[in-house]
Amino acid sequence: MAQASNSRIKVGIVGGTGYTGVELLRLLSQHPNAELVAITSRKEDGLPVADMYPNLRGHVDLAFSAPEKARLTDCDVVFFATPHGVAMAQAQELLATGTRVIDLAADFRLQDTAVFERWYKMPHSCPDVLAESVYGLVELNREAISKARVIGNPGCYPTTVLLGLAPLLEGGKQLVDTQTLIADCKSGVSGAGRKAEVATLFSEASDNFKAYGLPGHRHHPEITAQLEKISGGAVSLTFVPHLVPMIRGMFSTIYARIQPGARDTDFQALFEQRYADERFVDVLPAGSAPETRSVRGSNMLRISVQRPNNGDLLIVLVVQDNLVKGAAGQAVQNMNLMFGLPESAGLDQVAILP
Amino acid sequence: MAQASNSRIKVGIVGGTGYTGVELLRLLSQHPNAELVAITSRKEDGLPVADMYPNLRGHVDLAFSAPEKARLTDCDVVFFATPHGVAMAQAQELLATGTRVIDLAADFRLQDTAVFERWYKMPHSCPDVLAESVYGLVELNREAISKARVIGNPGCYPTTVLLGLAPLLEGGKQLVDTQTLIADCKSGVSGAGRKAEVATLFSEASDNFKAYGLPGHRHHPEITAQLEKISGGAVSLTFVPHLVPMIRGMFSTIYARIQPGARDTDFQALFEQRYADERFVDVLPAGSAPETRSVRGSNMLRISVQRPNNGDLLIVLVVQDNLVKGAAGQAVQNMNLMFGLPESAGLDQVAILP
Amino acid sequence: MAQASNSRIKVGIVGGTGYTGVELLRLLSQHPNAELVAITSRKEDGLPVADMYPNLRGHVDLAFSAPEKARLTDCDVVFFATPHGVAMAQAQELLATGTRVIDLAADFRLQDTAVFERWYKMPHSCPDVLAESVYGLVELNREAISKARVIGNPGCYPTTVLLGLAPLLEGGKQLVDTQTLIADCKSGVSGAGRKAEVATLFSEASDNFKAYGLPGHRHHPEITAQLEKISGGAVSLTFVPHLVPMIRGMFSTIYARIQPGARDTDFQALFEQRYADERFVDVLPAGSAPETRSVRGSNMLRISVQRPNNGDLLIVLVVQDNLVKGAAGQAVQNMNLMFGLPESAGLDQVAILP
Amino acid sequence: MAQASNSRIKVGIVGGTGYTGVELLRLLSQHPNAELVAITSRKEDGLPVADMYPNLRGHVDLAFSAPEKARLTDCDVVFFATPHGVAMAQAQELLATGTRVIDLAADFRLQDTAVFERWYKMPHSCPDVLAESVYGLVELNREAISKARVIGNPGCYPTTVLLGLAPLLEGGKQLVDTQTLIADCKSGVSGAGRKAEVATLFSEASDNFKAYGLPGHRHHPEITAQLEKISGGAVSLTFVPHLVPMIRGMFSTIYARIQPGARDTDFQALFEQRYADERFVDVLPAGSAPETRSVRGSNMLRISVQRPNNGDLLIVLVVQDNLVKGAAGQAVQNMNLMFGLPESAGLDQVAILP
């Protein structure tokens, strides 16, 4: 565990112009134990952050700086809110000076570099760092994260599907059929990022609903790899992502066939017990169902377990804010753990409703 | 078949103040063979229709009239865009004078009155008319509809699920497992109607996504009954409806396990052939996926067939405008058939995009 | 007036990949007297139009073609749904072969080439054609349009402001102070076009409201020039455009100070009489107010005249669909007039509500 | 000033089921110096607050209680988030026991009871309390608020218009013509509250823009009365509210004619100086314009001053979150002041963007 002196942790952000970047800024600017010291963007060098993100006026005084000026090695931790491939190019240098790394892209999510290369169309340039990196899903890897130097922060879809299935698969339980799992997932548009693209224009995405990524989505191998790690066996999951006309929010409807020998299981109790001590996982009472606005702007993930007509199909409903628990909030949760801070430091925002 | 003289069909609408009512008015006011002669609303007696629905100014000159003034028995056909229970109370009288009936509510959707009574919490008051009524899904029942006097116009969800599964189940085919079907459905908010309710306020439903009706949705028994009629055997379907923050549009993601003996089936060809002659069912080319805006305001239903990794799970994606093919458009399609008109008369609108 | 033979008018569209392009396609594919023969896009050469715009599947069979293959000179009329500057480069050649031109961009909107050059940052390359062109606002220039070979189709904002003020200014009337006019205008996001830009992403424009273009908007000089032409004197108008989180629709709130000598005017009657014979301008009854959805997808423009407390300030509220009456619908209305067709041919769609 | 002991202030809320109620709960549950002790609702007696507002799960453990059980007189302060007329019926009893009152409805906004009665259609039942009440716009009445026992929390529209015009009118300045002021205001739908009404259904309010309240809006006399108090003279303002399809946010575009003698005024500097010490009023740099999302979920109000072409018309643009600075946040700001707490205690949330 790192030493969290009574001074604040020095934090740097690489690539803060996207939505995970601005969300990190929102959270870290209110964090009682963190001090933002640098935020880099080659393109926006010199631009005050608040000029790009007017919500930060009065809260963040920093300007973007070109990477070479940023002195990231003076930071205690650096977040990478960058495209895939950037963190792995810089991690080694930072680690060498004692700076920790939390990557919000995919560079440290997949231990199998061949799989990484197939889905992300680039070679993995630093397998050594990858080997020591930890998959940053706190509720699954708390112990390892607290000792980690490098974190691969999970994808948004994986966070919901993994936490929705973990209680059913952990420890090699034979509760559900692991060969016929289905995750029908729905995401708000901010998940696509702040890139100028026709498909996510307001006039294209508003008042519309569609599936996408059917030939294959990059989060699919990430989910499967982690599920297999959790269950200790082969897992086959069908994953269908859809796009919802809302900015934030993710809703996953997960279908699992109950094994004949597990029909007497009290699944509600199973989930409640599994997450009883988790500050950011809320298992809803039996009979209720979640909605995405119940977590808008907060780091909470809510789960409901349904078993229609007490039959053989279990339905797990999971909601989160894709930019918070699905990205920046989870990254801060990892940071807290890595530096021995209270896990919820800076993450106690109440969701905004309506 | 009724005589469609060269004069126009006289049309009445009972209960035209809801969304299916205004949509009927939009379509019928442009229909080349229909003449709107009466639209009833006890509460709005005397109010010009265009005062309630400003889009109709310049297109519909009628005023609402109290039911007793409306002389519905002079009509060739009467549409019921009313709450459940109204059509069955008035159908007999209309039929007696030769007026046909198309009910957009549930009174004539379920042949089993016990099932009707369980789900709609009211006794069925006219089982005789029910017995002769025809389920108005044209692509399944064209012949019977053309001779019918009473139509039970299908629910919105059932339309998508039935047309999405029919090619797989018709004629007792053993292509997919009928015991593990899943329909993960998403609907725009207009499906909930124009009732003053908190749950469908803009500030509740906007920027939000949720599942609902998990204890059981009224469209579930309707879907199952029709699927069993189509397949000739028992069917078990899990049905999970969700609410999407958009006004119009329905998207159903249907999952079916391919039977071991059917793995060589060309499902794309199967669907294309089944619907080759259907004016309002569009099977998309292999590899593409539908979006709801492609049918916004039109009577078209679009289907895509997906089989990820050529595996054992078939995914059928179906979109429609819930107020058109899912309600008023389908009702007009039924009317056209009943009166020997071209099936697409008054229904050739191009969807509005963006 | 052109000869409209009993065969259909041959229509070409240059640059049909934007929103005014797809809207032209929607309208023209249903037009009883028009035949789409070519639609050009260098970038999308060969791509079926319906692959880009899935709403057109089953309605438009054309593919985009590179301009040089398109044989536009065989057309009776060519619409330019292109960036500014394209129509003026090609108009002369088309006119030479008898093909008429309707430009939906700004090339033929401003008679003063110095003003054009200042606002559009390019020289005007064909002042001769400009000189003979007609400003295509039918309700103001019907006679000239019917004889025109080249039309400058009005901007969306100008259409609302000009039709909202014309009855007050025409013929040098001294009804309102022409030096203190204010137009507070609100537009749906589709007005910004289908360009890949961050500012109009769903995640930027949704759930947000802002003013824009305050240093000066290109429609400002167009409005002023036309108002001065209408009134025959100098006009000073303040114009503030705002962006509304909706796809289609434009709402203009226009403020005009009533002249002391005009206080007894019946403004409601003035507007009703002015537009009594106009098919696409609807003056609402006194006391009612318009909403944009009442014209969604239709060519109608609706106006309401308000005079709070019978005071000295007149408020004119105007709504239109920015893509129809504000762009493609108006262009078709111009075409109809130029070819001696009924003015509403192909333009009788009822607005979609809800 | 009240004594703020080192124990927390005991807070009660009457009528917490509406949007201002849930927003008070969100803010107060995170307030370092407040303790929620009671929240009343006769209708929801016994229901855990978090069952109605799922965002509060894990943050608020209270249940609604019937008013008579609530022991509001034990509270240090009671907020009324009720319909108009409730606070004035209960204020006297609370004040008698030393409990302070902050009313978020209109009971203590208008000092002229005749005006109150005309607009709110009820007699004012406690003119004595009204006489001692203070209009709770901190930036105008800080001194009086800090000593007040009863606060009339301002309406949402008035907050924007008053802070937008105050620098121009205070102290009898002759900077702008006070007889021709115009406020063209746009509000998100949550301003209409959580009442079950057709007009604010998602399917009615989404994808739509309209003006409303043109015959006269209740906030109009409130604005005028305060403007006259500020300026010390008669003021005539035209006020046109509009409804924007977004949940939260208010945007006011205010037009004021510059007096001939004031043409040399540096209006940007005037506003900057006026609000230099205000924590929750942000004057934007010259040339920039505000957007509502920059304050979503925060208590900040942002102002931009525009003078097109250095002419005679001044345009002031103001944004706020109507539920925070326009309602609950402002109420908490008042509470802080009344109890000698730092003005921003519990109000330092960063706005959520995107």
Side-chain angles (χ1 to χ4, degrees):
Chain A
M1 196 192 77
Q3 283 297 101
S5 73
N6 50 12
S7 62
R8 293 175 166 221
I9 297 168
K10 288 191 172 57
V11 177
I13 299 176
V14 177
T17 64
Y19 292 144
T20 52
V22 63
E23 193 68 355
L24 278 172
L25 290 168
R26 181 175 75 93
L27 296 173
L28 291 169
S29 69
Q30 301 180 297
H31 196 292
N33 311 105
E35 181 191 357
L36 277 167
V37 298
I39 174 159
T40 73
S41 166
R42 188 174 307 283
K43 197 174 145 205
E44 306 294 351
D45 183 28
L47 184 78
V49 167
D51 280 12
M52 175 171 283
Y53 291 118
N55 62 323
L56 299 175
R57 271 180 64 90
H59 298 279
V60 177
D61 291 333
L62 282 177
F64 292 106
S65 62
E68 58 275 12
K69 304 182 197 164
R71 307 231 283 175
L72 294 170
T73 50
D74 290 354
C75 294
D76 296 306
V77 61
V78 169
F79 293 89
F80 284 85
T82 44
H84 310 297
V86 177
M88 64 186 178
Q90 304 184 20
Q92 210 123 29
E93 183 193 343
L94 291 169
L95 293 175
T97 64
T99 301
R100 315 225 165 167
V101 169
I102 300 175
D103 179 31
L104 285 82
D107 298 10
F108 302 111
R109 290 178 188 164
L110 292 164
Q111 284 297 330
D112 185 332
T113 55
V115 173
F116 177 85
E117 292 173 11
R118 189 179 328 130
W119 287 88
Y120 292 90
K121 313 293 180 203
M122 61 178 80
H124 200 292
S125 65
C126 78
D128 290 353
V129 177
L130 176 62
E132 78 156 284
S133 73
V134 176
Y135 188 72
L137 194 45
V138 174
E139 291 77 9
L140 298 182
N141 297 331
R142 183 170 280 110
E143 182 68 16
I145 291 165
S146 70
K147 301 172 186 158
R149 297 196 308 160
V150 187
I151 294 289
N153 205 57
C156 48
Y157 286 117
T159 300
T160 60
V161 178
L162 296 173
L163 294 180
L165 284 173
L168 300 170
L169 302 183
E170 282 171 334
K173 285 179 206 141
Q174 301 294 318
L175 299 177
V176 297
D177 178 4
T178 56
Q179 298 310 299
T180 59
L181 297 169
I182 293 173
D184 189 291
C185 299
K186 300 89 174 173
S187 174
V189 184
S190 64
R194 194 171 165 274
K195 294 181 295 290
E197 288 183 332
V198 168
T200 48
L201 289 179
F202 181 90
S203 300
E204 301 285 311
S206 179
D207 210 27
N208 190 32
F209 188 91
K210 67 173 180 182
Y212 71 101
L214 270 159
H217 188 285
R218 290 167 167 183
H219 286 177
H220 201 165
E222 179 183 340
I223 297 171
T224 303
Q226 293 296 326
L227 287 179
E228 296 191 335
K229 195 173 161 202
I230 293 171
S231 71
V235 167
S236 176
L237 170 91
T238 299
F239 171 51
V240 183
H242 302 76
L243 194 66
V244 183
M246 61 184 179
I247 297 179
R248 289 166 180 252
M250 176 164 285
F251 190 110
S252 291
T253 311
I254 305 170
Y255 301 92
R257 295 274 155 206
I258 298 169
Q259 295 286 28
R263 282 181 187 147
D264 295 336
T265 309
D266 181 340
F267 291 99
Q268 177 73 25
L270 176 74
F271 276 73
E272 287 182 1
Q273 287 157 18
R274 172 61 179 84
Y275 293 123
D277 296 331
E278 291 297 344
R279 172 73 180 75
F280 294 117
V281 179
D282 174 30
V283 178
L284 297 182
S288 56
E291 38 188 335
T292 59
R293 63 178 183 151
S294 75
V295 295
R296 189 193 294 140
S298 94
N299 197 50
M300 195 71 78
L301 175 145
R302 303 192 198 271
I303 298 182
S304 162
V305 187
Q306 311 271 344
R307 188 178 177 183
N309 303 318
N310 205 28
D312 287 347
L313 189 69
L314 198 70
I315 308 176
V316 184
L317 309 175
V318 187
V319 298
Q320 71 175 3
D321 184 323
N322 55 302
L323 294 181
V324 192
K325 182 61 177 167
Q330 184 136 271
V332 172
Q333 194 181 350
N334 278 310
M335 178 193 83
N336 289 342
L337 210 50
M338 293 164 85
F339 288 88
L341 301 169
E343 198 172 308
S344 65
L347 291 174
D348 53 358
Q349 295 84 1
V350 181
I352 291 198
L353 178 160
Chain B
M1 195 191 78
Q3 284 296 102
S5 73
N6 49 12
S7 62
R8 293 176 166 220
I9 297 169
K10 287 188 172 59
V11 176
I13 299 176
V14 177
T17 63
Y19 292 144
T20 53
V22 63
E23 192 68 355
L24 278 172
L25 289 167
R26 180 174 76 94
L27 297 173
L28 291 169
S29 69
Q30 300 180 296
H31 195 292
N33 311 107
E35 181 191 358
L36 276 168
V37 298
I39 174 159
T40 73
S41 165
R42 188 174 306 283
K43 197 174 145 205
E44 305 294 351
D45 184 28
L47 183 79
V49 167
D51 281 12
M52 175 170 282
Y53 290 118
N55 61 323
L56 300 175
R57 272 180 64 90
H59 298 280
V60 176
D61 292 333
L62 282 177
F64 293 106
S65 61
E68 58 275 11
K69 303 181 195 164
R71 308 230 284 174
L72 294 169
T73 50
D74 290 355
C75 294
D76 296 308
V77 61
V78 170
F79 292 90
F80 284 84
T82 45
H84 310 297
V86 177
M88 65 185 178
Q90 303 183 21
Q92 210 122 28
E93 182 192 345
L94 291 167
L95 294 175
T97 64
T99 300
R100 314 225 167 168
V101 169
I102 299 174
D103 179 33
L104 284 84
D107 299 10
F108 302 111
R109 289 178 187 164
L110 292 163
Q111 284 297 330
D112 186 332
T113 55
V115 173
F116 177 84
E117 292 173 11
R118 190 180 327 134
W119 287 88
Y120 291 91
K121 313 293 180 204
M122 63 178 80
H124 201 291
S125 65
C126 79
D128 290 354
V129 177
L130 176 62
E132 79 156 285
S133 72
V134 175
Y135 189 72
L137 194 45
V138 174
E139 291 76 9
L140 298 182
N141 298 330
R142 183 170 280 109
E143 182 70 14
I145 291 165
S146 71
K147 299 171 187 160
R149 298 196 308 160
V150 188
I151 294 289
N153 206 57
C156 49
Y157 286 117
T159 300
T160 60
V161 178
L162 296 173
L163 294 179
L165 284 173
L168 300 170
L169 303 183
E170 281 172 336
K173 284 178 206 143
Q174 301 293 320
L175 298 176
V176 296
D177 178 3
T178 57
Q179 299 310 300
T180 57
L181 297 169
I182 294 172
D184 189 292
C185 299
K186 299 88 173 173
S187 174
V189 184
S190 64
R194 196 172 164 273
K195 292 180 297 291
E197 288 183 333
V198 168
T200 49
L201 289 179
F202 181 89
S203 300
E204 301 285 313
S206 180
D207 210 28
N208 191 31
F209 188 90
K210 67 173 180 181
Y212 71 101
L214 270 160
H217 188 286
R218 290 166 168 186
H219 286 176
H220 200 166
E222 179 183 341
I223 296 171
T224 304
Q226 293 294 325
L227 286 179
E228 296 191 336
K229 196 174 159 200
I230 292 170
S231 72
V235 167
S236 177
L237 170 91
T238 298
F239 170 51
V240 183
H242 303 75
L243 194 66
V244 183
M246 63 183 175
I247 297 179
R248 290 165 178 251
M250 176 164 285
F251 190 110
S252 292
T253 311
I254 304 170
Y255 300 92
R257 295 273 154 205
I258 299 170
Q259 295 284 29
R263 283 181 185 146
D264 295 337
T265 309
D266 181 340
F267 291 99
Q268 176 73 24
L270 176 74
F271 275 74
E272 287 183 1
Q273 286 158 18
R274 173 58 180 85
Y275 294 123
D277 297 331
E278 292 296 344
R279 173 70 179 77
F280 294 117
V281 179
D282 174 30
V283 178
L284 297 182
S288 55
E291 38 187 333
T292 58
R293 64 179 184 150
S294 76
V295 295
R296 189 192 296 143
S298 95
N299 197 51
M300 197 71 78
L301 176 146
R302 302 191 199 271
I303 298 182
S304 163
V305 187
Q306 310 272 343
R307 188 178 176 184
N309 303 317
N310 205 28
D312 287 347
L313 189 69
L314 198 71
I315 307 177
V316 184
L317 309 175
V318 187
V319 297
Q320 70 176 3
D321 184 322
N322 56 301
L323 294 180
V324 191
K325 183 60 177 167
Q330 183 136 271
V332 172
Q333 195 181 350
N334 278 309
M335 179 192 83
N336 289 344
L337 209 50
M338 293 164 85
F339 288 87
L341 301 168
E343 198 171 308
S344 66
L347 293 174
D348 52 359
Q349 294 85 0
V350 181
I352 292 198
L353 179 162
Chain C
M1 198 189 78
Q3 282 298 100
S5 75
N6 49 12
S7 62
R8 293 178 167 220
I9 298 168
K10 287 189 173 60
V11 176
I13 300 177
V14 177
T17 63
Y19 292 143
T20 53
V22 63
E23 192 67 356
L24 278 171
L25 289 167
R26 181 175 74 94
L27 297 173
L28 291 169
S29 69
Q30 300 179 296
H31 195 292
N33 312 105
E35 182 192 357
L36 276 167
V37 298
I39 173 160
T40 73
S41 165
R42 186 172 310 281
K43 196 174 145 205
E44 307 293 351
D45 184 28
L47 183 78
V49 167
D51 281 11
M52 175 172 283
Y53 291 118
N55 61 323
L56 300 175
R57 272 181 63 90
H59 298 281
V60 176
D61 292 333
L62 282 177
F64 292 106
S65 62
E68 58 276 12
K69 305 182 195 162
R71 306 233 285 177
L72 294 171
T73 51
D74 290 355
C75 294
D76 296 307
V77 62
V78 169
F79 292 89
F80 283 86
T82 45
H84 311 296
V86 177
M88 64 185 179
Q90 303 183 22
Q92 209 123 28
E93 182 192 346
L94 291 167
L95 293 176
T97 65
T99 300
R100 314 223 167 170
V101 169
I102 299 175
D103 179 32
L104 284 84
D107 299 10
F108 303 111
R109 289 178 187 163
L110 291 164
Q111 284 297 330
D112 185 332
T113 55
V115 173
F116 176 85
E117 292 173 13
R118 189 179 329 133
W119 287 88
Y120 292 91
K121 314 290 181 205
M122 62 178 80
H124 201 292
S125 66
C126 78
D128 290 353
V129 177
L130 176 62
E132 78 156 287
S133 73
V134 175
Y135 189 72
L137 193 45
V138 174
E139 291 76 8
L140 297 182
N141 298 331
R142 184 170 278 109
E143 181 69 16
I145 292 165
S146 70
K147 300 172 186 160
R149 298 196 308 160
V150 188
I151 294 289
N153 207 56
C156 49
Y157 286 117
T159 300
T160 60
V161 178
L162 296 174
L163 294 179
L165 284 173
L168 300 170
L169 302 183
E170 281 172 334
K173 283 178 206 145
Q174 301 294 318
L175 298 177
V176 297
D177 178 4
T178 57
Q179 299 311 298
T180 58
L181 297 169
I182 294 172
D184 189 291
C185 298
K186 299 90 174 174
S187 175
V189 183
S190 65
R194 195 172 165 274
K195 294 180 294 290
E197 288 183 333
V198 168
T200 49
L201 289 178
F202 181 90
S203 300
E204 301 284 312
S206 180
D207 210 29
N208 190 31
F209 188 91
K210 67 173 179 180
Y212 71 101
L214 269 160
H217 188 286
R218 289 166 168 186
H219 286 176
H220 201 165
E222 180 183 340
I223 297 171
T224 303
Q226 292 295 326
L227 286 179
E228 296 191 336
K229 195 174 160 198
I230 292 170
S231 72
V235 167
S236 176
L237 171 91
T238 299
F239 170 51
V240 183
H242 302 75
L243 194 66
V244 183
M246 62 183 177
I247 298 178
R248 289 163 179 252
M250 178 164 283
F251 190 111
S252 292
T253 311
I254 305 170
Y255 300 91
R257 296 273 154 205
I258 298 169
Q259 295 285 30
R263 284 179 185 148
D264 296 336
T265 308
D266 181 341
F267 291 99
Q268 177 72 25
L270 175 74
F271 275 74
E272 286 182 1
Q273 286 157 19
R274 174 58 180 84
Y275 294 123
D277 296 331
E278 290 298 343
R279 174 71 180 76
F280 294 116
V281 179
D282 174 29
V283 178
L284 297 181
S288 54
E291 37 189 334
T292 59
R293 64 179 183 151
S294 75
V295 295
R296 190 193 293 141
S298 94
N299 198 50
M300 197 71 77
L301 175 147
R302 302 193 199 270
I303 299 181
S304 164
V305 187
Q306 310 272 344
R307 188 179 175 183
N309 303 317
N310 205 29
D312 287 348
L313 189 69
L314 199 71
I315 307 176
V316 184
L317 308 175
V318 187
V319 297
Q320 71 176 3
D321 184 322
N322 55 301
L323 294 180
V324 192
K325 183 60 178 167
Q330 183 136 271
V332 172
Q333 194 182 351
N334 278 310
M335 179 193 83
N336 288 343
L337 209 52
M338 293 164 85
F339 287 87
L341 301 168
E343 199 171 308
S344 66
L347 291 174
D348 53 359
Q349 295 84 2
V350 181
I352 291 197
L353 177 161
Chain D
M1 196 189 79
Q3 284 297 100
S5 74
N6 49 11
S7 63
R8 292 178 167 220
I9 297 169
K10 288 190 172 58
V11 176
I13 299 176
V14 178
T17 63
Y19 292 143
T20 51
V22 63
E23 193 67 355
L24 278 172
L25 290 167
R26 180 175 75 92
L27 297 173
L28 291 170
S29 68
Q30 301 179 295
H31 196 292
N33 311 107
E35 181 192 357
L36 275 168
V37 297
I39 173 161
T40 73
S41 165
R42 186 172 309 282
K43 198 174 145 204
E44 306 294 353
D45 184 27
L47 183 78
V49 167
D51 281 12
M52 176 171 282
Y53 290 116
N55 61 322
L56 300 176
R57 273 181 64 90
H59 298 280
V60 177
D61 292 332
L62 282 177
F64 292 107
S65 61
E68 57 276 12
K69 304 181 196 162
R71 306 232 283 175
L72 295 170
T73 50
D74 290 355
C75 295
D76 296 308
V77 62
V78 170
F79 292 89
F80 283 85
T82 45
H84 311 297
V86 176
M88 65 185 177
Q90 303 183 22
Q92 208 124 30
E93 183 192 344
L94 291 168
L95 293 176
T97 64
T99 301
R100 314 222 167 170
V101 169
I102 299 175
D103 179 32
L104 284 83
D107 298 10
F108 302 112
R109 289 178 188 164
L110 291 164
Q111 283 297 330
D112 185 331
T113 55
V115 172
F116 177 84
E117 292 173 12
R118 188 178 330 131
W119 286 89
Y120 291 91
K121 312 294 181 204
M122 62 179 78
H124 201 291
S125 65
C126 77
D128 289 354
V129 177
L130 177 62
E132 78 156 287
S133 73
V134 175
Y135 189 71
L137 194 43
V138 174
E139 290 78 8
L140 298 182
N141 298 330
R142 183 170 280 110
E143 181 69 16
I145 292 166
S146 71
K147 300 173 186 157
R149 299 196 307 160
V150 188
I151 294 288
N153 206 57
C156 48
Y157 287 117
T159 300
T160 59
V161 178
L162 296 174
L163 293 180
L165 285 173
L168 300 171
L169 303 183
E170 281 172 335
K173 283 178 206 144
Q174 302 294 318
L175 299 176
V176 297
D177 178 3
T178 56
Q179 299 310 300
T180 58
L181 298 169
I182 294 172
D184 190 291
C185 299
K186 300 88 174 174
S187 175
V189 183
S190 64
R194 196 172 165 272
K195 294 180 294 290
E197 288 183 332
V198 168
T200 48
L201 289 178
F202 182 90
S203 300
E204 301 284 312
S206 179
D207 210 28
N208 190 31
F209 188 91
K210 67 174 179 180
Y212 71 100
L214 270 159
H217 188 286
R218 289 166 167 186
H219 286 176
H220 200 164
E222 180 183 340
I223 297 170
T224 303
Q226 293 295 325
L227 287 179
E228 297 191 336
K229 195 173 161 201
I230 292 170
S231 72
V235 167
S236 176
L237 171 92
T238 298
F239 170 52
V240 182
H242 302 75
L243 194 66
V244 182
M246 62 183 177
I247 297 179
R248 290 164 179 252
M250 176 163 286
F251 191 110
S252 292
T253 312
I254 305 170
Y255 300 92
R257 295 275 155 203
I258 298 169
Q259 295 286 29
R263 282 178 187 149
D264 296 337
T265 309
D266 180 340
F267 291 99
Q268 177 73 25
L270 176 74
F271 275 75
E272 287 182 1
Q273 288 157 17
R274 173 60 179 84
Y275 293 123
D277 297 330
E278 291 297 343
R279 173 71 181 75
F280 294 117
V281 178
D282 174 30
V283 178
L284 298 181
S288 55
E291 38 188 334
T292 59
R293 64 179 182 150
S294 75
V295 294
R296 190 194 293 140
S298 95
N299 196 50
M300 196 70 79
L301 175 146
R302 302 191 199 271
I303 299 181
S304 163
V305 186
Q306 310 272 344
R307 188 178 175 182
N309 302 317
N310 205 29
D312 287 347
L313 189 69
L314 197 71
I315 307 177
V316 184
L317 308 175
V318 187
V319 298
Q320 72 176 2
D321 184 322
N322 54 301
L323 294 180
V324 192
K325 181 61 178 166
Q330 183 135 272
V332 172
Q333 194 181 351
N334 278 310
M335 180 193 82
N336 289 343
L337 209 51
M338 293 164 84
F339 288 87
L341 301 169
E343 198 171 308
S344 66
L347 292 174
D348 53 358
Q349 296 84 2
V350 181
I352 291 197
L353 177 160

